[in-house]
Amino acid sequence: MRHDIVAEAFGPRGEAMAHAVEACVHCGLCLPSCPTYQVLNQEMDSPRGRIILMKEVLEGGLTADEAAPFLERCLGCLGCETACPSGVPYGELIGTYRAYAARTGQNGATERAVEFLLTASLPYPNRFRLASRAGKLARRLPLPLPGTMAAMLELVPDELPASEPFPEVYPAAGTRRARVALLTGCVQQVLAPEINWATLRVLARNGVETIIPRDQGCCGALGLHMGNTKEARRLAQNNLDCFPSELDAIVTNAAGCGSGMKEYPLLFKGHAQSGRAERFADQVMDITVFLHALGMEPPPPLAQPLLLAYHDACHLAHAQGVRAQPRSLLGLIGNLDLVEIPDGDICCGSAGTYNLQQPDIARQLGEQKARNILSTGARAIATGNIGCLTQISAHLKALGRPLPIFHTIQVLDLAYRGGSV
């Protein structure tokens, strides 16, 4: 591959991208792990097909417009990275390419309009709360809507939970064992604020003092996912500035946010903040990883027996390699039996904003995930990401088989508090 061409187009990230393209040996072992290939059964809708497309665009053999439909359909779930025997960093590859496409104006007008709507609302809890209320009203109007807008309205909850501001410090109960900072997230603050409160209670129960930086904001994962590097870097810089450095960890309870924050070194590659971004990313831990490493106090048994299905969020299992820790923590709870979901490695279709931008494919993946969960006979579900929680809940409801669905930390909190499902 012409490294000089790639370096000219992509700057500091270009050399890494060229090596990533060259690492793919086109063996095809990624195909069974790719959700879009499973749904569409087209070579160009597979990871190796997309790598070929990107290479052709970069070398001038194909126009960006010709490749765009296939590249836009990628969920970025990174199931292919787990399956790849050559270690191709596909996530860096597709993320860098999307940044190039956005920067050079190769996204279509409709796509740009949707991205503007999403980036102007989702990263800001107050705006998102207002948008959700407006969406609830719009759902009552008998107006035909394009697919993306209809998908947005489908996911708007009937009611938003009440929320209250978080304290700047949530103290440890008893002797302090550790001191962490918590990223509170954006959408999660509006749709499920109880996840953060459960996180604070469980950390305190285990002797952890939690700092909640007042000026923190969106982690930037949404911008990264859409190729808006400039906006992602702006949001990331804010978090670099407001999170204290003297911590045992920066804790996240949303798989997508944790994965996005771990990408800060790539985001700031070649910039003055690169060293700081690397140190920040090294501190980021999913809540289950932190508690597992700390040594969590076993909760008391649940009041009633529970068969629980655990769903692996893609940006936890594939992007961060976190699989054993959530299962290990849940396994400490008496009266709780974990069950695995068939084809559990396949994405549920949420994938950041994918279920809004590619609603037809996302709907097929969401329905299949819901059916696979129901086949286990589980009475409740646990997962580690707000997007998965929302997507799975919507599709179980659409099948007429709603089940209680919790964040993993909520199940632990429930056990500590002597509850039952």
Side-chain angles (χ1 to χ4, degrees):
M1 184 171 190
R2 290 284 304 278
H3 286 227
D4 56 333
I5 296 175
V6 181
E8 182 180 351
F10 294 95
R13 297 164 66 175
E15 188 68 18
M17 187 175 186
H19 285 299
V21 170
E22 291 171 344
C24 178
V25 296
H26 310 297
C27 65
L29 292 178
C30 59
L31 300 184
S33 69
C34 179
T36 51
Y37 184 78
Q38 295 302 306
V39 170
L40 302 171
N41 200 31
Q42 293 189 79
E43 175 67 21
M44 293 300 100
D45 281 299
S46 75
R48 72 175 180 185
R50 292 184 176 112
I51 288 174
I52 292 171
L53 288 173
M54 285 185 272
K55 181 176 183 293
E56 287 298 308
V57 171
L58 295 174
E59 295 184 340
L62 201 65
T63 68
D65 286 342
E66 289 171 320
F70 306 99
L71 295 171
E72 289 168 4
R73 285 198 288 263
C74 175
L75 291 100
C77 69
L78 305 186
C80 54
E81 285 198 4
T82 299
C84 180
S86 301
V88 176
Y90 179 83
E92 293 183 14
L93 193 57
I94 190 69
T96 304
Y97 181 88
R98 282 175 169 167
Y100 164 76
R103 188 177 70 248
T104 55
Q106 293 170 4
N107 292 336
T110 301
E111 184 182 13
R112 290 198 301 272
V114 170
E115 289 181 1
F116 173 79
L117 179 62
L118 295 176
T119 55
S121 60
L122 295 186
Y124 307 97
N126 289 336
R127 295 184 196 175
F128 178 57
R129 190 174 284 108
L130 289 172
S132 296
R133 289 169 179 162
K136 182 181 173 183
L137 294 173
R139 211 162 44 188
R140 301 174 184 172
L141 301 176
L143 298 174
L145 295 169
T148 299
M149 294 300 297
M152 289 181 186
L153 295 183
E154 283 178 14
L155 292 172
V156 172
D158 294 330
E159 298 294 337
L160 293 177
S163 62
E164 55 182 298
F166 298 105
E168 291 193 46
V169 180
Y170 199 92
T175 303
R176 193 178 83 179
R177 301 170 62 196
R179 182 172 179 264
V180 305
L182 174 67
L183 181 85
T184 54
C186 306
V187 171
Q188 184 170 278
Q189 283 191 56
V190 178
L191 297 182
E194 181 58 24
I195 292 173
N196 283 329
W197 287 111
T199 300
L200 294 173
R201 288 191 293 265
V202 171
L203 286 170
R205 175 71 177 254
N206 285 276
V208 182
E209 177 184 275
T210 306
I211 310 300
I212 303 100
R214 183 66 63 198
D215 295 329
Q216 66 173 288
C218 175
C219 66
L222 179 63
L224 279 170
H225 184 78
M226 293 182 173
N228 190 341
T229 303
K230 183 178 179 180
E231 177 66 4
R233 193 177 293 125
R234 182 186 70 80
L235 294 169
Q237 182 65 61
N238 175 70
N239 287 329
L240 292 181
D241 292 339
C242 76
F243 274 78
S245 57
E246 298 301 319
L247 298 166
D248 293 295
I250 296 170
V251 172
T252 66
N253 52 24
C257 296
S259 177
M261 293 166 81
K262 285 183 174 294
E263 288 190 59
Y264 282 6
L266 180 65
L267 187 61
F268 285 95
K269 190 175 181 65
H271 290 255
Q273 295 289 326
S274 60
R276 193 175 174 192
E278 288 179 6
R279 292 190 294 274
F280 185 96
D282 286 342
Q283 288 186 291
V284 174
M285 283 190 187
D286 183 75
I287 180 62
T288 60
V289 174
F290 177 78
L291 288 170
H292 187 268
L294 181 71
M296 193 184 79
E297 174 191 338
L302 293 176
Q304 299 292 331
L306 176 65
L307 184 64
L308 182 77
Y310 178 75
H311 165 70
D312 280 299
C314 293
H315 279 84
L316 206 54
H318 299 308
Q320 300 181 60
V322 177
R323 296 171 181 269
Q325 295 92 332
R327 290 171 170 84
S328 178
L329 296 180
L330 291 169
L332 295 174
I333 304 173
N335 252 352
L336 184 150
D337 290 317
L338 279 179
V339 62
E340 296 296 326
I341 301 168
D343 292 328
D345 279 346
I346 298 296
C347 184
C348 67
S350 174
T353 57
Y354 190 88
N355 53 0
L356 303 178
Q357 294 175 289
Q358 299 284 341
D360 292 336
I361 297 172
R363 191 174 292 112
Q364 293 180 65
L365 293 171
E367 180 179 337
Q368 187 58 55
K369 179 66 68 174
R371 292 188 184 280
N372 286 344
I373 290 170
L374 292 171
S375 75
T376 68
R379 301 301 300 271
I381 309 147
T383 187
N385 190 56
I386 182 64
C388 302
L389 192 151
T390 303
Q391 171 84 341
I392 292 170
S393 179
H395 285 280
L396 286 169
K397 183 178 178 181
L399 291 174
R401 300 279 301 279
L403 290 175
I405 181 165
F406 304 97
H407 191 285
T408 305
I409 200 71
Q410 289 179 290
V411 180
L412 298 173
D413 180 55
L414 188 69
Y416 277 130
R417 299 167 75 188
S420 61
V421 175

